[in-house]
Amino acid sequence: MAAVAYEHILTEIDGPVAIVRLNRPQALNALSGALMDEVTTALERFDRDDAIRAMVVTGNERAFAAGADIKEMANVGAIEMQQGTKLGQWERIRKLRKPIIAAVSGFCLGGGNELAMSCDLIVAAESARFGQPEINIGIIPGAGGTQRLTHALGKARAMEVILTGRPITAREAWEAGLITKVVPNEAYLDEARALAAEIATKPPLAVQLAKDAILKSFDLPIEQGLDYERKNFYLLFASDDMREGMAAFIEKRKPTFKGK
Ligand code: DAK
């Protein structure tokens, strides 16, 4: 795939794993429109690239992202906000098929936390702080914070986080089920890469349809969710990788998955 020049992110490919690094350290990776556009574009490109099987989104040690860019939003009106393309960017992330792991260190606030929660797994350094401080600047979360955080933390704790604006620690986030794992500060990116590499060894279609069915559990009542799961399950019986996986088990050898 042709290289693309980005201004606010860095990208790297490590075998089947693509890494997208937010790169506005001087603004604690505040999510400007231009940065979000690049993140979305990069993720979509990797999502379409057959050689990539999992993606990692990360920031730097001090900040995953300290939220949307307040300086950019300060003078925007309601209609301009509504007509803007920003919401579309978040919708595009929601539609990505491959698994995305957020590797989080330091501040993970506001839109930054919403970006992490839009990913499928979150690996955090002990230093990570997850919060929705929008209340302090006269707004509320606008990219899923009131919904996704509440699903993870439950009503009472989500109310506390969103109404006080006070962040929670990585350990609290893990205990509440918001994140996948907490690791020592120096290990968060390696752990996220290792998790991505492990998932990348699995049959890609099964990984994608599992992700799809898990995400549907947030939208559908249980009966419909079970039907949805079953259809994804049946669909995999049309895949070469399913034949290969089962044949390899029976023949006591390692499977070779092709994503077909
Ligand atoms: N926006 C712009 N600049 C930011 C920023 C932000 N969110 N966060 C930090 N910065 C900048 C600071 O202004 C400072 O820049 P200079 O003054 O050096 O030029 C630099 O980053 C370093 O920050 P501090 O000097 O403040 O560093 P401290 O260690 O003292 O404090 C902090 C770190 C994270 C506690 C503090 O920076 C802070 O409170 N930051 C703001 C956190 C926040 O309120 N985040 C929520 C933003 S609202 C939407 C979807 C979602 C959203 C909006 C729309 N649509 C779908 C349309 C999301 C909204 C939000 O996230």
Side-chain angles (χ1 to χ4, degrees):
M1 184 170 275
V4 188
Y6 296 110
E7 204 181 324
H8 307 291
I9 62 169
L10 301 170
T11 62
E12 180 194 333
I13 292 175
D14 182 5
V17 176
I19 295 139
V20 174
R21 183 189 286 276
L22 314 187
N23 192 31
R24 287 186 78 205
Q26 71 289 358
L28 300 182
N29 288 334
L31 306 171
S32 61
L35 181 146
M36 274 305 292
D37 194 39
E38 290 189 359
V39 170
T40 313
T41 301
L43 291 174
E44 280 179 338
R45 286 177 67 89
F46 291 134
D47 204 49
R48 286 196 300 268
D49 183 342
D50 286 343
I52 301 298
R53 293 187 175 184
M55 302 179 271
V56 173
V57 177
T58 193
N60 56 51
E61 264 166 54
R62 190 161 170 229
F64 177 74
D69 193 318
I70 300 171
K71 293 166 190 168
E72 213 175 68
M73 282 188 299
N75 294 312
V76 176
I79 303 300
E80 199 184 330
M81 202 69 183
Q82 195 272 341
Q83 300 282 313
T85 54
K86 289 202 175 72
L87 196 59
Q89 290 163 344
W90 297 87
E91 290 298 309
R92 280 158 61 195
I93 292 177
R94 204 161 64 85
K95 294 202 158 46
L96 298 170
R97 289 173 304 149
K98 293 176 186 168
I100 313 174
I101 300 174
V104 176
S105 174
F107 298 113
C108 185
L109 303 176
N113 194 36
E114 290 170 315
L115 177 60
M117 291 191 294
S118 299
C119 297
D120 303 307
L121 304 104
I122 303 177
V123 175
E126 271 165 6
S127 70
R129 294 293 177 269
F130 298 85
Q132 299 288 160
E134 289 91 339
I135 202 85
N136 297 326
I137 53 169
I139 56 171
I140 66 168
T146 64
Q147 306 300 300
R148 292 201 177 98
L149 196 73
T150 307
H151 278 287
L153 301 190
K155 172 185 153 190
R157 299 192 65 196
M159 285 282 185
E160 186 184 18
V161 170
I162 292 170
L163 301 188
T164 68
R166 240 181 11 242
I168 58 173
T169 64
R171 198 147 294 278
E172 287 171 316
W174 179 76
E175 279 162 7
L178 179 68
I179 67 176
T180 310
K181 57 161 77 173
V182 189
V183 299
N185 288 345
E186 63 281 5
Y188 76 100
L189 189 53
D190 286 345
E191 287 279 346
R193 292 170 87 121
L195 190 54
E198 182 183 348
I199 293 169
T201 66
K202 308 296 178 192
L205 293 174
V207 167
Q208 289 170 27
L209 290 186
K211 163 174 169 163
D212 176 54
I214 292 166
L215 291 180
K216 272 288 181 290
S217 77
F218 292 97
D219 303 336
L220 297 177
I222 185 78
E223 280 296 326
Q224 288 173 32
L226 291 169
D227 286 346
Y228 193 90
E229 175 193 83
R230 208 158 302 128
K231 284 182 182 142
N232 279 7
F233 172 80
Y234 292 147
L235 192 53
L236 289 166
F237 282 73
S239 69
D240 293 348
D241 283 351
M242 169 266 173
R243 303 268 168 250
E244 167 65 5
M246 294 194 186
F249 174 81
I250 292 164
E251 292 158 20
K252 299 188 188 298
R253 61 174 173 81
K254 275 189 85 160
T256 307
F257 295 122
K258 299 203 169 77
K260 296 200 164 38

